[in-house]
Amino acid sequence: MSYAETDPVIQVRDLVKEFDGRRVLNRISFCVHPGERLAILGPSGGGKSTLLSCLIGATIPEEGEIRLLGEVLRPKDRKAMDRLRLKFGVMFQGGALFSSMSIHDNVALPIRRHSGLADETIDILVGMKLNQVGLFAASERFPDELSGGMIKRAALARAMALDPALVFIDEPSAGLDPVTVAGIDDLLLKQATTHDVTMLVVTHDMQSAYRIASRLIMLYKGEILFDGSPQEIRECEDPVVRQFVEGRKDGPLGFQESTMDFRKLLLEGD
């Protein structure tokens, strides 16, 4: 099947994933079109991380099909996966930077491994990538010398190193203060629009999702409960969506609290 620039960048059809007999993804189907910034939302245990893991080929689903940039994802075919991974980037939640390498060398690694370019040219390209995320002056620092926000920016620079058409972003706001989160969101938006990149962002942060996303999907109990624009999710009347969007404790999502009398338990134990 040939791939045209107007075709969906991501196509997911009837995706099923189970762990120990428990169905985590229940026949998920959706498409992501060129230039979209799709946020995957949902409560803990709803399937967000599992979906992302399937999309990048790290987890093999029981059923269904995934196409990235027109090519069927075949996680068991190592050569095919290696070729496909050159076309997309991943920004991992914790950065996943190599602690023994400088930021410069972390970003240079995929370019050195896959481009065949001269070292001088690679140094220029890495400098450009780091400059785009505001880390040019920190290029010789190591990950343990960076703040949480700087680690996220370095991880983004590495994800963009090979100029991919598609980038997966995992929890960009995790562990960051609100001001830093706003800065990371602005940077992601700028990278997406400047470089015409399609982005899929897994996040639990509604404010971050509103800033980044042009479209949102909410997963609940392994299924798609909502698929629409930021404005549409604000207006959605589904009680589960409303509770999640508003961040309320009370509602159908529940909030597990122990009602056991701990003092009584201690006395009975004696």
Side-chain angles (χ1 to χ4, degrees):
M1 174 179 157
S2 60
Y3 174 71
E5 291 184 358
T6 54
D7 290 340
V9 176
I10 302 174
Q11 294 172 283
V12 178
R13 186 178 65 187
D14 294 329
L15 198 67
V16 172
K17 181 60 192 174
E18 297 179 347
F19 292 104
D20 299 323
R22 183 174 67 91
R23 185 162 289 196
V24 180
L25 297 176
N26 187 22
R27 301 208 171 278
I28 296 289
S29 296
F30 66 93
C31 291
V32 183
H33 298 279
E36 278 194 308
R37 302 179 306 279
L38 176 66
I40 303 292
L41 309 167
S44 298
K48 305 187 301 297
S49 297
T50 300
L51 175 59
L52 178 60
S53 187
C54 289
L55 289 172
I56 65 175
T59 295
I60 300 175
E62 274 68 39
E63 299 178 38
E65 180 183 83
I66 298 171
R67 287 182 180 268
L68 300 182
L69 300 162
E71 187 172 340
V72 176
L73 196 70
R74 296 185 176 89
K76 294 181 180 180
D77 187 335
R78 185 170 179 177
K79 289 185 178 180
M81 283 304 305
D82 286 345
R83 289 194 301 271
L84 187 54
R85 285 191 176 110
L86 296 179
K87 301 178 183 179
F88 68 82
V90 183
M91 178 180 160
F92 294 97
Q93 180 177 336
L97 301 175
F98 292 101
S99 60
S100 61
M101 292 183 178
S102 67
I103 301 308
H104 177 282
D105 288 340
N106 265 281
V107 177
L109 182 62
I111 306 176
R112 288 194 178 115
R113 180 167 294 178
H114 300 294
S115 71
L117 295 172
D119 288 344
E120 294 81 3
T121 304
I122 292 174
D123 288 342
I124 293 171
L125 290 174
V126 172
M128 292 170 61
K129 298 298 180 185
L130 290 174
N131 189 57
Q132 288 171 0
V133 298
L135 287 180
F136 182 77
S139 62
E140 296 308 316
R141 292 191 194 178
F142 287 78
D144 63 0
E145 299 176 305
L146 303 181
S147 67
M150 294 170 77
I151 287 174
K152 299 278 188 179
R153 286 188 276 154
L156 177 60
R158 188 177 61 183
M160 296 291 294
L162 295 175
D163 295 318
L166 169 65
V167 178
F168 296 101
I169 311 290
D170 186 18
E171 296 286 6
S173 62
L176 302 179
D177 66 82
V179 174
T180 303
V181 169
I184 295 296
D185 291 345
D186 181 69
L187 185 57
L188 289 172
L189 189 59
K190 187 178 297 182
Q191 290 286 311
T193 54
T194 301
H195 300 284
D196 196 23
V197 175
T198 302
M199 283 187 174
L200 185 145
V201 183
V202 170
T203 183
H204 65 280
D205 187 324
M206 283 308 306
Q207 294 306 313
S208 181
Y210 286 144
R211 282 191 291 260
I212 298 171
S214 58
R215 177 179 155 213
L216 307 100
I217 282 177
M218 181 174 170
L219 296 181
Y220 178 59
K221 294 184 177 179
E223 299 181 350
I224 294 177
L225 182 61
F226 173 88
D227 184 347
S229 69
Q231 185 59 37
E232 288 170 334
I233 201 171
R234 286 186 175 100
E235 298 171 353
C236 182
E237 295 301 323
D238 183 282
V240 175
V241 175
R242 285 257 53 82
Q243 182 187 356
F244 184 83
V245 167
E246 295 172 2
R248 291 184 284 104
K249 185 184 90 167
D250 297 321
L253 285 173
F255 179 78
Q256 299 300 316
E257 290 185 287
S258 174
T259 56
M260 181 180 292
D261 188 334
F262 186 61
R263 184 177 60 180
K264 182 179 179 182
L265 177 65
L266 288 176
L267 293 174
E268 287 177 349
D270 292 337

